[in-house]
Amino acid sequence: MAASITEKLAALSLNDVKVYSHDAVKTGEEWKAALDKTADVPASYKLSKTVVFKPKQPKSDPQILLLALTLDETSANSGAVTKAAGTKDARLATPEAVTAALGAATPQDSSPFQITSENSAQVQVVLDAKLVASELVAVHANNSTETVFLSGADIKKYLESTGVKVFETDFTLAAVQTVAKTEAKKAPAKPVKNSAAISDAKLIGVGVDKYLDFSGWYQQVLTKGDMLDYYDVSGCYILKPWSYSIWEKIQKYFDAKIKHLGVENCYFPLFVSAKVLEREKDHVEGFAPEVAWVTRAGDKELDEPIAIRPTSETVMYPYYAKWIRSHRDLPLRLNQWNSVVRWEFKNPQPFLRTREFLWQEGHTAHLHREDAEAEVMEILDYYSRVYSELLAVPTIKGKKTEKEKFAGGLFTTTVEGYIPTTGRGIQGATSHCLGQNFSKMFNITVEDPTAKEGEKKDPLFVWQNSWGLSTRVIGVMVMIHGDNKGLVLPPAIANFQVVIVPCGLNNKATKEDREKLFDEVDAIAKRLKKADFRVKADLRESYTPGYKFNDWELKGVPLRLEIGPQDIKKNQVIGARRDNGEKNPIGMDNLEADIDALLKKIQSDMYAKAKDLFDTHVVKVTKWEDFVPALNKKNLILMPWCGVMQCEDDIKDRSARQAMDGEPEDAKAPSMGAKSLCIPFDQPSGEDAITENTKCPQCGEKAKEWVLWGRSY
Amino acid sequence: MAASITEKLAALSLNDVKVYSHDAVKTGEEWKAALDKTADVPASYKLSKTVVFKPKQPKSDPQILLLALTLDETSANSGAVTKAAGTKDARLATPEAVTAALGAATPQDSSPFQITSENSAQVQVVLDAKLVASELVAVHANNSTETVFLSGADIKKYLESTGVKVFETDFTLAAVQTVAKTEAKKAPAKPVKNSAAISDAKLIGVGVDKYLDFSGWYQQVLTKGDMLDYYDVSGCYILKPWSYSIWEKIQKYFDAKIKHLGVENCYFPLFVSAKVLEREKDHVEGFAPEVAWVTRAGDKELDEPIAIRPTSETVMYPYYAKWIRSHRDLPLRLNQWNSVVRWEFKNPQPFLRTREFLWQEGHTAHLHREDAEAEVMEILDYYSRVYSELLAVPTIKGKKTEKEKFAGGLFTTTVEGYIPTTGRGIQGATSHCLGQNFSKMFNITVEDPTAKEGEKKDPLFVWQNSWGLSTRVIGVMVMIHGDNKGLVLPPAIANFQVVIVPCGLNNKATKEDREKLFDEVDAIAKRLKKADFRVKADLRESYTPGYKFNDWELKGVPLRLEIGPQDIKKNQVIGARRDNGEKNPIGMDNLEADIDALLKKIQSDMYAKAKDLFDTHVVKVTKWEDFVPALNKKNLILMPWCGVMQCEDDIKDRSARQAMDGEPEDAKAPSMGAKSLCIPFDQPSGEDAITENTKCPQCGEKAKEWVLWGRSY
């Protein structure tokens, strides 16, 4: 019926447009992965995104759909699209409507090229100005298994040739500004009027299922849970007070720990000259592709471009060479709380992969290797405790393989976490022993203190460590604990551990009843604050208890206390746990002690639940044929391994290929290959212990250690 | 006798080289100022610096001087110069030696062009590779009143034509690295052996007189006092733990204050898109020339350059528009502790004018103007208390004139300090009321809560404030309190408030005597730590008490406790105040209370002394002819003023010109014009009160208020 895509384009003198075929894809991430595996794809391009909306219209009017064609990286919500087209609230069009209007099998299969002169009256297009300005954009041809690459200008040209009405708009500011504003205003501007109206309250809740669309859920839980907001520079995010306060608590905990060790804080500049950055070759090779360069100030070109630190080894160590004048200056232990920039071109992910992130970086120098190594382990232990004691997140401690270690260092230790929903591992924080590599590069030496008077000994190169923990920890915590109601925060780091909501006032309640109840809530809040709990009394007038329940559940407050006139009479409050929903009365007499115990219980239960999920998803594999099936069941894998780098590459390749070629039931599993996460310090023992005869299941060579493998972030 | 400079250059076919004449200059800063006032000077050039050293040589050898010719911005100490020339320790050549070898009247008058084929055997040149690579360099011709502009290559060409031996070297890394290292190693590597050797200890002390060479002193007191180190990116400095710990104390104090007000911390990205940055015109005009731009990541050019925040108004306010959905979301009060970048091209000055600096920036939005204005004053009060209570620095609170206010804001309040040594004012911190200007630009509105049901009222634009306090405070504190022995830190912010030094062991002391004394020192330290003092017991074995005294005086520790065997017998310690040198015994029985009182006394005495110097250097002027003479006596000036911007410009011009054309005794005074520092909130009253008849002494128009004027940083 319809012309083929190449015919359509040829009509515009766009010849030789190649159509690439691949597996069906649903998300941008999948599409990118599919194209990565497709031969002859252009080296550089931007992904597009097509979303079809149905604007609110009088039923009598002919139904017109709104196709939003944007860059995948552009954040364009329905409000922004609506505003661009000058229509009223738009909702996602139903699959049936999309199929009817465009002939797409599913909404994911919709494409701008399904718009033709024949159906162009039933559709309008909102076109992302950034897409139009892009040199090469990947667009689906007829459905999600076919991709063509065209310039934004040509795509626009095509659309215009169909006669479809096109609204071109710049979403960058629009999204941030008025549109999002009118959108967001909706919910609280019309507070729910009575307690029955809980269903309305759901408007503010998470609208995506964690288990069906994890990345959509993650985005919503972060933004609706008030943790962060998206930003108009791609890969950068705003840390709102709700998440920043968690970071402050982590800072306070870890800062005290390292100061007790004798580490001092300092601040080195954000900028590093090319010459210094490029001093250590292995190291800079690891970072070079991601370094952001300042080349201009005001309207003046700088004589030499200046880098923004991706990490501070080469920034700091020239000064270590200067400051360390004798063994008496050792150990030198400095730490910075700062931000670093790594301009990743992979898909950004809030907290997990961002172009700027907050962290601490410790950099120490020691006279003896043993002291350096002992510190590496001490710090790793603190990292593991930040996860377990504060974030209720279990991790596995171990050493990185040669392939995965910090470039330029001697060895890297790590705490590895596990995200049950995706079955992927995630690097939690790393503590590196740099050995003497950097001290040799930067000439950081001291005279040998064992030299006798007059004796000539060679100077000693110091032993160095570096170690870092970033805001990534917050993302890991959210992914592990959050649920379909929103965030679930462990009491140890929640900004409010307890929220108190006045309840149980019916329509007959007088002003005095209300005041009495509110006073009681206020008094309990004060009592708990005095006992050093972080407490919020939610005394907002115009919201129902149900609205408030949802609001605080979304934000993950660990414990909600409900109190109504009946409870006052019974000298109790009702405690509702966020983590498991349990509700129980708590007597007022022992309130502080009971709440303390309850918060501790919530913290330990959250940890235990996550630990159980982790433990039951680490599968021991000793035959290669078990590797991919176990991986595809969302497990991490513990496997004896030979320690050869080539074998690690092979494991990644083979597990990626097998996942693709696997059984039908594996078709939906990510085709990403497995990489080594760590060589756990806690090695299987007893009959599982590695012996002379243990072989590496992948290559058949002699195995050296059990290694943890997995798909990973 | 010698050929003129133009003849010398013409011999190299460098014709048409113009010689610019100006006042004699001593420092780079003066030179720059002199050239700024000289007509037809090239728009862009780099200043050079000529320093003549005398290397250590056998007396029998013919004396050869070492002339170091570098860019003014290059930090090349004698160690680096020596190393480049392959000679041993060099000291500054005496004026006589410089005159004898080069014919320069004073060392400041030395110039590379004084080297000719006739004297080139008596001199060697160390030449800065960065200077050679520079396109246009200002070099003195025959003396410091004459300047020529040449390329670095031509300067090198000239030097080579004389036959002088030239060592070209890159100081950037050299300075940081090995050279500085060997330099610095000297002092502590050979600790002084007995207490008589205090003179040796002076090697580590400040070698420049505060009152003779303030900027040289400032640099030394900061580096030798361990506050900061210079960095190889110009205008950026390393905050070492000794200064960073002061910043941490200020953070802790101020953070608690604002959190109590209800301000929350957050983190916005470092990057801002051009579009957003340029949103508010007045505002961006103020910052545009100093904005650093990232244009490249790895080896990829970015599609659009991205700015590094110079401040975050335009970064944050688009999101305020989104987040503020109703009057219930007000006030919105956020703060960030971060760093910002302002790529100043003026001479950088540690802490005072740096290209990156640490600060806090508060950004708040209010429903009512009165609430916004009240907050402006509350914050200003906290700023004033950071100075007075923590840093023992007096300031004057007031409002900025229209000319000096924050670009784009409604009005700016400020705390202004005074640096007695230079007689210059310094802006301490500012708290701005932005009014509704930004909320109108960014469309930050709420519906009018006074609107009755069904009534239609226009949306209200919110009232905004922003306020910031930076690490500049540390520089102000150092400049005011430091002396020729080094830093003087107020007890409230000193990392160590008390240092305890064991003393009084003579040559006959046994190992047991020493151990007993050291144990006692350790016990006192523990006792004081328990009472929450910040204490250091200096138990270093291989240093004399004298060395330790100097070391801690250099670092500014407020109180030194000396304790020897005799003191133990007398059940006392000797307390030595850093601020005024007073020494008194303190009984052990009441140690904690007495030390607490003494530290409080030191803090208040330091403040009182600075306050007295400030108060006695604010001079009331009501006749224009008194203005410049008072200014030249290192005063700030309080003068009735008309409030007209043109008049402010005139005051600056006239005071600059008059300073130059003034009496001989003013010749050395800076020729910088005076600007308005603030309109003090505390206005003179009684017979000094402004009346209908009070005139502005500069223009004769009706005066509105007393305004504080001064040369300033």
Side-chain angles (χ1 to χ4, degrees):
Chain A
M1 186 180 82
S4 81
I5 173 114
T6 38
E7 285 167 345
K8 288 176 189 169
L9 293 171
L12 297 170
S13 317
L14 291 167
N15 298 309
D16 304 325
V17 174
K18 186 171 167 188
V19 180
Y20 294 82
S21 293
H22 45 71
D23 290 347
V25 296
K26 275 172 71 180
T27 65
E29 212 167 0
E30 284 174 27
W31 192 5
K32 180 76 174 54
L35 291 175
D36 280 351
K37 288 183 310 198
T38 306
D40 301 330
V41 155
S44 167
Y45 59 86
K46 298 200 162 190
L47 288 182
S48 67
K49 185 165 61 185
T50 308
V51 186
V52 188
F53 294 93
K54 177 179 160 297
K56 211 171 185 177
Q57 286 166 270
K59 284 202 176 145
S60 52
D61 286 8
Q63 183 60 53
I64 289 184
L65 293 188
L66 211 52
L67 181 141
L69 178 63
T70 64
L71 289 182
D72 187 46
E73 66 191 43
T74 300
S75 137
N77 57 19
S78 65
V81 171
T82 314
K83 164 140 181 157
T87 58
K88 291 220 172 126
D89 348 49
R91 312 217 158 195
L92 278 188
T94 59
E96 296 72 31
V98 174
T99 307
L102 300 172
T106 76
Q108 284 79 38
D109 287 303
S110 61
S111 150
F113 299 110
Q114 289 155 353
I115 301 176
T116 63
S117 51
E118 286 156 35
N119 63 8
S120 60
Q122 299 158 46
V123 192
Q124 296 185 341
V125 176
V126 172
L127 192 54
D128 178 1
K130 274 206 159 172
L131 180 144
V132 176
S134 298
E135 270 185 52
L136 209 54
V137 183
V139 194
H140 286 313
N142 298 306
N143 57 52
S144 81
T145 68
E146 289 182 1
T147 299
V148 292
F149 296 91
L150 287 170
S151 74
D154 285 339
I155 295 169
K156 184 177 174 187
K157 195 163 144 193
Y158 171 75
L159 287 168
E160 286 171 345
S161 77
T162 68
V164 74
K165 181 152 194 174
V166 174
F167 303 93
E168 189 173 329
T169 191
D170 184 340
F171 286 101
T172 358
L173 268 178
V176 164
Q177 281 257 314
T178 39
V179 176
K181 188 174 172 182
T182 47
E183 267 291 280
K185 258 180 179 162
K186 262 180 258 163
K190 291 181 192 163
V192 191
K193 282 279 159 56
N194 62 68
S195 64
I198 290 182
S199 63
D200 260 14
K202 282 185 186 156
L203 282 179
I204 63 166
V206 177
V208 181
D209 190 288
K210 182 177 181 182
Y211 306 97
L212 297 179
D213 175 5
F214 187 59
S215 76
W217 169 86
Y218 182 61
Q219 177 172 338
Q220 281 214 7
V221 86
L222 290 179
T223 51
K224 296 198 168 184
D226 221 17
M227 297 284 269
L228 61 67
D229 209 335
Y230 282 68
Y231 189 68
D232 83 322
V233 175
S234 169
C236 296
Y237 303 90
I238 300 161
L239 300 193
K240 297 178 79 173
W242 199 246
S243 64
Y244 194 81
S245 67
I246 295 175
W247 186 237
E248 287 183 304
K249 285 178 190 74
I250 292 168
Q251 286 187 303
K252 195 175 167 192
Y253 175 95
F254 186 75
D255 201 64
K257 289 266 184 281
I258 59 174
K259 277 189 175 144
H260 189 74
L261 284 185
V263 176
E264 296 180 294
N265 285 332
C266 63
Y267 189 78
F268 276 75
L270 178 68
F271 296 118
V272 49
S273 66
K275 208 180 320 183
V276 172
L277 180 69
E278 287 157 7
R279 205 77 193 291
E280 209 292 329
K281 276 193 181 173
D282 290 341
H283 178 69
V284 78
E285 252 178 40
F287 290 104
E290 299 171 0
V291 170
W293 292 93
V294 174
T295 64
R296 187 151 60 84
D299 52 9
K300 292 196 180 63
E301 295 294 323
L302 300 185
D303 291 345
E304 286 174 8
I306 291 175
I308 302 181
R309 62 175 167 230
T311 177
S312 300
E313 277 76 8
T314 60
V315 172
M316 296 169 83
Y317 298 166
Y319 298 91
Y320 280 44
K322 178 179 171 186
W323 297 340
I324 296 173
R325 299 155 303 186
S326 109
H327 66 93
R328 291 185 196 87
D329 297 319
L330 295 176
L332 178 64
R333 300 171 129 187
L334 298 180
N335 179 65
Q336 313 192 62
W337 294 96
N338 60 14
S339 78
V340 288
V341 170
R342 299 179 188 172
W343 205 267
E344 307 232 22
F345 289 91
K346 287 189 229 169
N347 268 332
Q349 178 96 298
F351 293 116
L352 302 199
R353 192 189 299 128
T354 61
R355 285 179 171 172
E356 183 196 6
F357 58 85
L358 301 179
W359 75 344
Q360 62 64 222
E361 48 175 332
H363 295 268
T364 64
H366 303 260
L367 184 57
H368 302 295
R369 177 175 183 148
E370 309 83 74
D371 296 338
E373 291 194 0
E375 183 196 83
V376 165
M377 297 305 294
E378 255 173 328
I379 296 294
L380 192 72
D381 190 50
Y382 292 146
Y383 288 159
S384 141
R385 287 166 67 184
V386 164
Y387 274 103
S388 61
E389 294 178 14
L390 301 187
L391 302 168
V393 168
T395 56
I396 288 181
K397 283 192 221 173
K399 200 170 139 177
K400 286 282 185 187
T401 61
E402 281 302 298
K403 181 178 161 69
E404 295 291 333
K405 76 174 187 188
F406 183 66
L410 183 61
F411 66 86
T412 290
T413 66
T414 178
V415 288
E416 296 286 323
Y418 168 69
I419 308 296
T421 320
T422 57
R424 285 158 73 175
I426 186 160
Q427 178 177 303
T430 45
S431 177
H432 315 291
C433 181
L434 304 177
Q436 296 177 308
N437 188 25
F438 285 89
S439 67
K440 283 175 181 166
M441 287 296 157
F442 287 94
N443 197 29
I444 314 176
T445 63
V446 297
E447 277 168 40
D448 189 338
T450 65
K452 307 249 163 32
E453 188 90 19
E455 189 188 2
K456 187 79 191 160
K457 283 203 177 183
D458 285 339
L460 301 176
F461 290 98
V462 303
W463 289 85
Q464 291 181 273
N465 295 335
S466 72
W467 25 272
L469 176 92
S470 78
T471 38
R472 158 175 280 207
V473 296
I474 299 173
V476 175
M477 182 266 289
V478 168
M479 286 186 159
I480 289 179
H481 298 306
D483 64 22
N484 280 343
K485 286 181 169 178
L487 296 169
V488 182
L489 300 180
I493 49 79
N495 197 23
F496 299 137
Q497 299 168 307
V498 179
V499 61
I500 316 179
V501 180
C503 305
L505 291 173
N506 58 25
N507 292 340
K508 292 177 192 153
T510 63
K511 199 179 159 219
E512 286 68 36
D513 294 339
R514 168 175 289 265
E515 274 174 12
K516 192 184 162 205
L517 178 61
F518 276 45
D519 286 348
E520 182 68 19
V521 167
D522 197 41
I524 296 173
K526 287 204 176 105
R527 182 173 160 188
L528 291 176
K529 272 180 200 164
K530 210 171 161 187
D532 275 341
F533 296 104
R534 299 188 291 272
V535 184
K536 171 83 183 172
D538 189 348
L539 303 177
R540 288 178 289 177
E541 290 281 354
S542 39
Y543 298 84
T544 63
Y547 179 91
K548 291 177 181 177
F549 289 5
N550 279 282
D551 194 21
W552 295 112
E553 278 173 357
L554 190 56
K555 289 185 165 179
V557 173
L559 181 62
R560 177 178 74 235
L561 299 184
E562 306 168 7
I563 179 162
Q566 295 306 316
D567 299 308
I568 297 179
K569 281 180 195 154
K570 292 185 192 161
N571 196 35
Q572 67 175 27
V573 296
I574 305 295
R577 287 173 60 160
R578 175 66 184 89
D579 62 323
N580 63 9
E582 266 181 33
K583 272 172 108 162
N584 281 302
I586 307 173
M588 288 295 288
D589 296 340
N590 239 345
L591 192 66
E592 290 85 349
D594 286 352
I595 283 185
D596 188 46
L598 189 51
L599 290 176
K600 288 200 173 110
K601 180 92 173 81
I602 292 172
Q603 182 85 22
S604 64
D605 284 358
M606 285 178 71
Y607 179 79
K609 185 180 164 195
K611 179 85 166 65
D612 184 56
L613 271 172
F614 198 164
D615 290 348
T616 53
H617 285 83
V618 175
V619 171
K620 285 203 190 83
V621 162
T622 52
K623 287 177 292 182
W624 175 254
E625 54 267 38
D626 296 340
F627 192 97
V628 176
L631 207 59
N632 287 348
K633 285 180 186 133
K634 298 191 177 174
N635 293 304
L636 304 186
I637 286 160
L638 203 53
M639 183 176 83
W641 185 56
C642 59
V644 178
M645 206 181 283
Q646 180 57 47
C647 179
E648 181 162 0
D649 291 338
D650 291 344
I651 289 173
K652 187 167 185 181
D653 285 353
R654 283 180 74 183
S655 58
R657 263 185 292 120
Q658 278 183 248
M660 285 193 297
D661 308 341
E663 303 293 312
E665 66 260 36
D666 296 333
K668 281 185 186 170
S671 54
M672 184 195 280
K675 60 181 199 177
S676 74
L677 304 174
C678 72
I679 307 165
F681 291 132
D682 187 11
Q683 287 279 315
S685 58
E687 58 186 29
D688 284 335
I690 301 276
T691 68
E692 277 299 305
N693 303 320
T694 315
K695 298 277 180 260
C696 168
Q698 200 281 135
C699 67
E701 293 300 310
K702 186 171 151 17
K704 292 168 66 180
E705 284 150 320
W706 288 90
V707 173
L708 189 69
W709 302 86
R711 295 188 175 119
S712 89
Y713 283 89
Chain B
M1 188 180 83
S4 81
I5 174 113
T6 38
E7 285 166 344
K8 288 175 189 169
L9 292 171
L12 298 171
S13 319
L14 292 167
N15 299 309
D16 303 324
V17 174
K18 186 171 169 189
V19 179
Y20 295 83
S21 294
H22 45 71
D23 291 346
V25 296
K26 275 173 71 179
T27 65
E29 211 166 359
E30 285 175 27
W31 193 5
K32 181 73 174 57
L35 290 175
D36 281 352
K37 290 182 310 200
T38 307
D40 301 331
V41 157
S44 167
Y45 59 85
K46 299 203 162 189
L47 288 183
S48 66
K49 186 166 61 186
T50 308
V51 186
V52 188
F53 294 93
K54 176 179 161 300
K56 209 171 184 177
Q57 285 166 271
K59 285 203 175 147
S60 51
D61 286 6
Q63 184 60 53
I64 289 183
L65 294 188
L66 213 52
L67 182 143
L69 178 63
T70 64
L71 290 182
D72 188 45
E73 66 192 45
T74 300
S75 136
N77 58 18
S78 66
V81 170
T82 314
K83 165 139 179 156
T87 59
K88 293 221 172 123
D89 346 52
R91 313 216 155 193
L92 278 187
T94 59
E96 296 71 32
V98 174
T99 307
L102 300 173
T106 75
Q108 284 79 39
D109 287 304
S110 61
S111 150
F113 299 111
Q114 287 155 354
I115 301 177
T116 62
S117 51
E118 286 157 36
N119 63 9
S120 61
Q122 299 158 44
V123 192
Q124 297 184 340
V125 175
V126 172
L127 191 55
D128 179 0
K130 274 205 159 171
L131 180 145
V132 177
S134 298
E135 271 185 50
L136 209 54
V137 182
V139 193
H140 286 313
N142 298 306
N143 56 53
S144 81
T145 68
E146 290 181 1
T147 300
V148 293
F149 296 91
L150 288 170
S151 74
D154 285 339
I155 294 170
K156 185 178 174 187
K157 196 164 142 192
Y158 170 76
L159 286 169
E160 286 171 344
S161 78
T162 68
V164 74
K165 181 152 195 172
V166 174
F167 303 93
E168 190 173 328
T169 192
D170 183 339
F171 286 102
T172 358
L173 270 177
V176 162
Q177 280 255 316
T178 40
V179 175
K181 188 175 172 184
T182 49
E183 267 290 280
K185 258 179 179 163
K186 263 180 257 162
K190 291 181 191 164
V192 191
K193 283 278 158 57
N194 62 68
S195 63
I198 290 182
S199 63
D200 259 13
K202 281 184 187 158
L203 282 177
I204 63 166
V206 177
V208 181
D209 191 287
K210 182 177 182 183
Y211 306 96
L212 298 180
D213 176 5
F214 186 58
S215 75
W217 170 86
Y218 182 61
Q219 178 171 336
Q220 281 215 6
V221 85
L222 290 178
T223 51
K224 297 198 168 184
D226 222 17
M227 296 284 269
L228 62 69
D229 209 334
Y230 283 69
Y231 189 68
D232 83 322
V233 175
S234 171
C236 296
Y237 303 90
I238 299 161
L239 300 193
K240 297 178 78 173
W242 199 246
S243 64
Y244 194 81
S245 66
I246 295 174
W247 186 236
E248 287 183 304
K249 286 179 188 72
I250 293 168
Q251 286 186 303
K252 195 175 166 191
Y253 175 95
F254 186 75
D255 201 64
K257 290 264 183 284
I258 59 174
K259 278 191 174 143
H260 189 75
L261 283 186
V263 176
E264 295 180 295
N265 286 330
C266 63
Y267 189 79
F268 276 74
L270 177 69
F271 297 117
V272 49
S273 66
K275 209 182 319 185
V276 172
L277 181 69
E278 287 156 8
R279 205 78 191 291
E280 208 294 330
K281 274 196 184 172
D282 290 340
H283 178 68
V284 79
E285 252 177 39
F287 289 104
E290 299 173 0
V291 170
W293 292 93
V294 174
T295 63
R296 187 150 60 84
D299 52 7
K300 293 198 181 61
E301 294 294 322
L302 301 184
D303 292 345
E304 286 175 6
I306 291 174
I308 302 182
R309 60 174 169 233
T311 176
S312 300
E313 277 77 8
T314 59
V315 172
M316 296 170 81
Y317 299 166
Y319 298 91
Y320 280 43
K322 177 179 172 186
W323 297 340
I324 296 171
R325 301 154 303 185
S326 109
H327 67 92
R328 291 184 197 88
D329 298 318
L330 295 175
L332 178 64
R333 301 171 127 186
L334 297 182
N335 178 65
Q336 313 191 62
W337 294 96
N338 60 13
S339 79
V340 289
V341 171
R342 299 179 187 172
W343 206 267
E344 307 233 22
F345 289 92
K346 286 190 229 166
N347 268 333
Q349 179 95 299
F351 293 116
L352 301 198
R353 191 188 301 128
T354 61
R355 286 179 170 172
E356 182 196 6
F357 58 85
L358 301 180
W359 74 345
Q360 62 66 222
E361 48 175 332
H363 295 269
T364 63
H366 304 261
L367 183 58
H368 302 295
R369 177 175 184 147
E370 309 84 76
D371 296 337
E373 290 193 1
E375 182 195 84
V376 165
M377 297 305 293
E378 255 174 328
I379 295 293
L380 193 72
D381 191 50
Y382 292 147
Y383 287 159
S384 141
R385 287 166 66 184
V386 165
Y387 273 104
S388 62
E389 295 178 13
L390 300 187
L391 302 167
V393 168
T395 56
I396 290 180
K397 284 191 221 173
K399 200 170 141 177
K400 287 282 183 188
T401 61
E402 281 302 298
K403 181 178 161 71
E404 296 291 333
K405 78 173 186 186
F406 183 67
L410 182 62
F411 66 86
T412 289
T413 66
T414 177
V415 288
E416 295 286 322
Y418 168 70
I419 308 295
T421 320
T422 57
R424 286 158 74 177
I426 185 159
Q427 178 177 303
T430 44
S431 177
H432 316 292
C433 181
L434 304 178
Q436 296 177 307
N437 188 25
F438 285 88
S439 67
K440 283 175 182 166
M441 287 296 157
F442 289 93
N443 197 29
I444 313 177
T445 63
V446 296
E447 276 168 42
D448 189 338
T450 65
K452 306 246 163 35
E453 190 90 19
E455 187 186 5
K456 186 79 191 160
K457 283 204 176 182
D458 285 338
L460 301 176
F461 290 98
V462 304
W463 290 85
Q464 292 181 272
N465 296 334
S466 71
W467 26 271
L469 176 92
S470 78
T471 39
R472 157 175 280 207
V473 296
I474 299 174
V476 175
M477 182 266 289
V478 168
M479 285 185 161
I480 288 179
H481 298 306
D483 63 21
N484 281 343
K485 286 181 170 179
L487 297 168
V488 182
L489 300 180
I493 49 78
N495 196 24
F496 299 135
Q497 298 168 308
V498 180
V499 61
I500 316 179
V501 180
C503 304
L505 290 174
N506 58 25
N507 292 339
K508 289 177 197 156
T510 62
K511 199 180 158 215
E512 286 67 39
D513 294 340
R514 166 174 291 263
E515 274 175 11
K516 191 185 162 205
L517 178 60
F518 276 44
D519 286 349
E520 182 69 17
V521 167
D522 197 42
I524 297 173
K526 288 203 174 106
R527 183 173 160 188
L528 292 176
K529 273 180 198 163
K530 209 170 162 186
D532 275 340
F533 296 104
R534 297 188 292 273
V535 183
K536 170 82 181 172
D538 188 348
L539 302 177
R540 287 179 288 178
E541 289 281 353
S542 39
Y543 297 86
T544 64
Y547 179 91
K548 292 177 181 177
F549 289 6
N550 280 283
D551 193 23
W552 295 112
E553 278 173 359
L554 190 57
K555 289 185 162 179
V557 173
L559 180 62
R560 177 177 74 234
L561 299 185
E562 306 168 7
I563 179 162
Q566 295 306 316
D567 299 308
I568 297 180
K569 280 179 197 158
K570 291 183 194 164
N571 196 34
Q572 67 175 27
V573 295
I574 306 296
R577 287 173 60 161
R578 175 66 184 88
D579 64 323
N580 63 8
E582 265 179 32
K583 272 170 108 162
N584 280 304
I586 308 172
M588 289 293 289
D589 295 340
N590 239 345
L591 191 67
E592 290 86 349
D594 287 352
I595 284 185
D596 188 45
L598 190 50
L599 291 176
K600 287 198 173 113
K601 181 90 172 81
I602 293 172
Q603 182 86 23
S604 64
D605 284 358
M606 285 177 72
Y607 180 78
K609 184 181 163 193
K611 180 85 165 64
D612 183 56
L613 271 171
F614 197 164
D615 289 349
T616 54
H617 285 83
V618 175
V619 172
K620 286 204 188 82
V621 162
T622 52
K623 288 177 294 184
W624 176 254
E625 55 268 36
D626 296 340
F627 192 97
V628 175
L631 208 58
N632 288 348
K633 287 181 185 132
K634 298 192 176 175
N635 293 305
L636 303 187
I637 286 160
L638 205 52
M639 185 176 82
W641 185 57
C642 58
V644 177
M645 207 181 283
Q646 180 56 48
C647 178
E648 181 163 359
D649 291 338
D650 291 345
I651 289 174
K652 188 168 184 181
D653 285 352
R654 283 181 75 184
S655 58
R657 263 185 292 118
Q658 278 184 249
M660 284 195 298
D661 308 341
E663 301 295 309
E665 66 261 34
D666 295 333
K668 282 185 186 170
S671 53
M672 184 195 280
K675 58 182 201 177
S676 75
L677 305 174
C678 71
I679 307 164
F681 291 131
D682 185 11
Q683 287 279 316
S685 57
E687 58 184 30
D688 284 335
I690 302 276
T691 68
E692 278 299 304
N693 303 318
T694 315
K695 298 279 181 257
C696 169
Q698 199 280 133
C699 67
E701 293 300 310
K702 188 172 148 20
K704 293 169 66 179
E705 284 150 318
W706 289 89
V707 173
L708 189 69
W709 303 85
R711 295 186 176 120
S712 88
Y713 282 90

